[in-house]
Amino acid sequence: MAAEIVNPRSDSGTDGAQEPFDPAFALHRGGKMAISATVPLRDKDDLSLAYTPGVAKVCTAIAEQPELVHDYTWKSQVVAVVTDGTAVLGLGDIGPEASLPVMEGKAILFKQFGGVDAVPIALATTDADEIVETVVRLAPSFGGVNLEDISAPRCFEIERKLQERLDIPVFHDDQHGTAVVTLAALRNAAKLTDRGLGDLRAVISGAGAAGVAIAKFLLEAGLGDVAVTDRKGIVSRDRDDLNPVKRELAEITNKAGLTGSLEDALAGADVFIGVSGGTVPEAAVASMAPNAFVFAMANPNPEVHPDVAHKYAAVVATGRSDYPNQINNVLAFPGIFAGALQVRASRITEGMKIAAANAIADVVGDQLAADCVIPSPFDERVAPAVANAVAAAARAEGVARR
């Protein structure tokens, strides 16, 4: 059944009744972004500098010294936001055109929170190799590539191949942005309860892009153990129905050798991380270890309602803005790209991501409390702190080019 379109202009219907005003449609009319000039075009002198003949001097200089493109164009401060529309928010495979409002939204978040220009690019193909080839051909115009809302497991292959072929940062935010902010929140939750990451056993519900990336990243950061679950239960070595991504995951996770369901995994667990939707029974939450953490990040309905989670958990976080401790990617990706572009990094390393997570966690400072383990997305200290930390890590790891 087609979605009902509510007229934002409140025109009268055929029966004379007025349709309700919908502010979402009103805000989106004409799109949410535009390109504006940064130089004046007041007269022929301005035109001769901004375009012909003056522009020819700059083109010739770049042709002779290609690295000058970073100084004399916007390349070093612009990101391509690329999607194929196959995994858009909680809407699924809705296609490239329908994904554009989300991609525009991502672009204005880049600008608002990180001072980074971004261009939405929705591709009319779902073939992994075609996406890679298209982005490679577009890459001369951009300083970085943010992959967005591309379904798993293709997203892993696409990111890997682009990272191999391009010398600019390629970052799948659904994976790594989520993982960075999750680690930041987990670090502070552990600090609040006088524990280290190595003391914790986590359970992740969801073995898609976010779940896989979070598991790998938390282990890289020193988490004690993590079990990942999908619709069929715990991802473990004894299963014969795993795709290559999950088989790899089974080799590095679940040190405890657990088998069975999500509920089985949660018994005695210190951390629940939800990135799958669905509902976790209250009894399973009650079976977790004392002072547990529940990060139920599905939107709009968390896997565990905060009211239920608070009965048993020391720290509760969601993906929603109307509850404390919102785990929101906007805390990560604007600053990560700002820092990477600032030093013209050739890629984004694990060390740069860990530096970003630490910077986000540190912003909380003395405000650390059960309802404040992560800063607000509107905290103006976040993006600069992340950018500085990422730039420093890029230099330390040898991927910075200035």
Side-chain angles (χ1 to χ4, degrees):
M1 181 177 179
E4 180 182 356
I5 302 296
V6 179
N7 187 348
R9 295 187 180 278
S10 299
D11 294 332
S12 296
T14 55
D15 60 357
Q18 217 176 39
E19 293 180 355
F21 176 82
D22 189 320
F25 280 93
L27 182 142
H28 283 79
R29 184 175 290 278
K32 299 193 292 286
M33 59 183 293
I35 293 176
S36 61
T38 61
V39 297
L41 285 177
R42 298 161 300 196
D43 51 37
K44 66 177 183 178
D45 292 333
D46 289 341
L47 186 60
S48 69
L49 287 173
Y51 201 52
T52 185
V55 73
K57 299 177 183 179
V58 181
C59 293
T60 301
I62 294 172
E64 294 172 352
Q65 300 181 61
E67 68 275 10
L68 292 179
V69 69
H70 297 283
D71 296 313
Y72 295 108
T73 73
W74 77 336
K75 177 181 173 72
S76 64
Q77 58 191 21
V78 65
V79 171
V81 180
V82 179
T83 189
D84 62 359
T86 55
V88 181
L89 299 178
L91 303 174
D93 185 355
I94 60 174
E97 289 86 359
S99 76
L100 271 176
V102 178
M103 300 310 113
E104 287 183 4
K106 197 78 173 191
I108 64 175
L109 293 178
F110 265 110
K111 188 66 173 179
Q112 178 69 27
F113 292 101
V116 174
D117 290 303
V119 177
I121 298 175
L123 301 179
T125 178
T126 60
D127 180 88
D129 288 333
E130 289 184 358
I131 292 171
V132 170
E133 291 299 327
T134 301
V135 175
V136 167
R137 284 161 173 73
L138 290 170
S141 297
F142 298 97
V145 175
N146 183 90
L147 299 175
E148 190 75 20
D149 292 349
I150 299 173
S151 63
R154 295 175 312 113
C155 59
F156 304 111
E157 176 189 0
I158 290 167
E159 183 186 47
R160 176 180 56 79
K161 288 183 175 180
L162 285 172
Q163 288 172 339
E164 291 171 352
R165 295 183 60 179
L166 298 178
D167 65 348
I168 58 175
V170 177
F171 185 85
H172 184 207
D173 187 49
D174 299 317
Q175 293 183 61
H176 310 300
T178 308
V180 165
V181 183
T182 300
L183 175 59
L186 190 57
R187 279 199 183 283
N188 275 342
K191 181 180 179 181
L192 185 68
T193 55
D194 296 318
R195 287 179 284 180
L197 289 180
D199 301 322
L200 303 176
R201 179 173 72 84
V203 176
I204 298 175
S205 173
V212 170
I214 292 170
K216 292 181 176 179
F217 191 54
L218 293 184
L219 289 173
E220 180 77 17
L223 187 73
D225 193 13
V226 58
V228 182
T229 66
D230 60 13
R231 290 183 179 88
K232 296 183 179 180
I234 299 169
V235 175
S236 56
R237 294 181 182 182
D238 64 324
R239 284 177 52 180
D240 59 6
D241 61 344
L242 302 178
N243 64 32
V245 171
K246 292 181 184 179
R247 279 200 300 272
E248 178 188 356
L249 194 64
E251 293 298 320
I252 62 172
T253 61
N254 192 21
K255 297 174 187 175
L258 302 175
T259 58
S261 66
L262 169 65
E263 289 82 352
D264 294 324
L266 280 175
D270 302 291
V271 186
F272 168 75
I273 298 170
V275 285
S276 66
T279 302
V280 177
E282 181 172 346
V285 182
S287 75
M288 295 177 69
N291 290 320
F293 312 142
V294 172
F295 295 178
M297 298 188 284
N299 267 317
N301 299 312
E303 293 90 347
V304 182
H305 192 281
D307 292 344
V308 173
H310 277 297
K311 294 181 184 180
Y312 310 101
V315 176
V316 177
T318 72
R320 290 175 50 146
S321 59
D322 53 349
Y323 290 107
N325 294 328
Q326 183 190 16
I327 296 180
N328 190 325
N329 289 16
V330 77
L331 289 164
F333 69 82
I336 289 174
F337 269 99
L341 294 175
Q342 175 186 320
V343 297
R344 296 179 189 166
S346 58
R347 60 193 177 95
I348 295 173
T349 66
E350 292 300 297
M352 292 162 71
K353 291 186 288 184
I354 288 175
N358 292 341
I360 294 167
D362 289 345
V363 167
V364 173
D366 294 339
Q367 296 175 299
L368 181 62
D371 62 352
C372 185
V373 297
I374 201 79
S376 163
F378 293 98
D379 190 322
E380 295 181 354
R381 300 172 295 171
V382 173
V386 172
N388 290 336
V390 167
R395 292 190 179 102
E397 299 201 345
V399 298
R401 288 177 286 196
R402 74 167 186 181

